[in-house]
Amino acid sequence: MKSILENRPGLAHEVNQVAEVAGYLWQKGWAERNGGNITVNITEYVDDEIRALAPISEVKQIGAVMPHLKGCYFFCKGTNKRMRDLARWPMENGSVIRILDDCASYVIIADNPVAPTSELPSHLGVHNYLISIGSPYKASVHTHPIELIAMTHSPKFLEKDVATKVLWSMIPETKAFCPRGLGIIPYKLPSSVELGNATIKELEDYDVVMWEKHGIFSVDVDVMAAFDQIDVLNKSALIYIAAKSMGFEPDGMSDEQMKEMSVAFNLPK
Ligand code: 2HA
Ligand code: ZN
């Protein structure tokens, strides 16, 4: 069977990036079993031939109306699929879906009828929001980063911007490469509409949000950039924990040092 990626270098590059990131998530220990999911808006790579492809699934309901997603196409990790398998065989562990004209349903079009991620409503809700504000962001990543999740088991890190301030102050690069900080969402049932809506709300102020005692959700221009934001934040969490396990509370960069860095790197706040 011919793959949709054949003779489409742009689309193949996007899917290869998803596979590369899926491998990193597994190697980092953030993607046990089927944990985590990735979706990428690939509409810009869709040509007339793709638009003409017949569905390979029945019509499935999203569960909500997404007015900005009409005619959009997404590459999605499959539900119950493993990140470590997505890394090696992206088109067997993920699929391309087409949003139908009612903006409330979709079909799978390629390469295999792999049902998309259980977090599809939150992911699509986020993409719908990103398009509505004219954002250039095309990718969203959800994963289970160990040290950042551990921090959400302490009430002090659930207060607004407390974790952000600690993480930014561990190493200058963290604010430089995650300039909007880390939003926090109190515990909600995985895959629920409430979790999806809370995530969209929090993305008004942040590119990366923590789901208390569950995981992280990040958006950016592409999947590699979305991964990088999580990676720099978790690196800071590791430095914080290393200092704590050496028996002291890390000082963190001072407010003056943070201010100097923000000016030098032209960062907000
Ligand atoms: O897809 O991580 O939150 C598996 C999950 C759901
Ligand atoms: Zn999860």
Side-chain angles (χ1 to χ4, degrees), residues 48-68:
D48 288 344
E49 199 183 322
I50 293 181
R51 267 184 283 273
L53 283 177
I56 56 171
S57 74
E58 50 195 41
V59 174
K60 302 180 190 209
Q61 299 302 312
I62 299 168
V65 182
M66 309 278 173
H68 299 281

Side-chain angles (χ1 to χ4, degrees), residues 48-94:
D48 288 344
E49 199 183 322
I50 293 181
R51 267 184 283 273
L53 283 177
I56 56 171
S57 74
E58 50 195 41
V59 174
K60 302 180 190 209
Q61 299 302 312
I62 299 168
V65 182
M66 309 278 173
H68 299 281
L69 298 189
K70 186 172 174 171
C72 283
Y73 290 74
F74 295 89
F75 179 79
C76 307
K77 173 183 170 278
T79 188
N80 267 320
K81 299 296 186 189
R82 296 175 172 87
M83 282 292 177
R84 63 181 190 261
D85 292 339
L86 186 69
R88 293 176 293 177
W89 306 295
M91 298 311 279
E92 282 75 41
N93 294 277

Side-chain angles (χ1 to χ4, degrees), residues 32 34-37 77-81 117-119 142-144 190-191 195 211 214:
E32 71 291 344
N34 64 321
N37 25 73
K77 173 183 170 278
T79 188
N80 267 320
K81 299 296 186 189
T117 158
S118 59
E119 300 283 2
H142 163 60
T143 189
H144 301 161
S191 314
L195 181 58
W211 294 345
H214 175 172

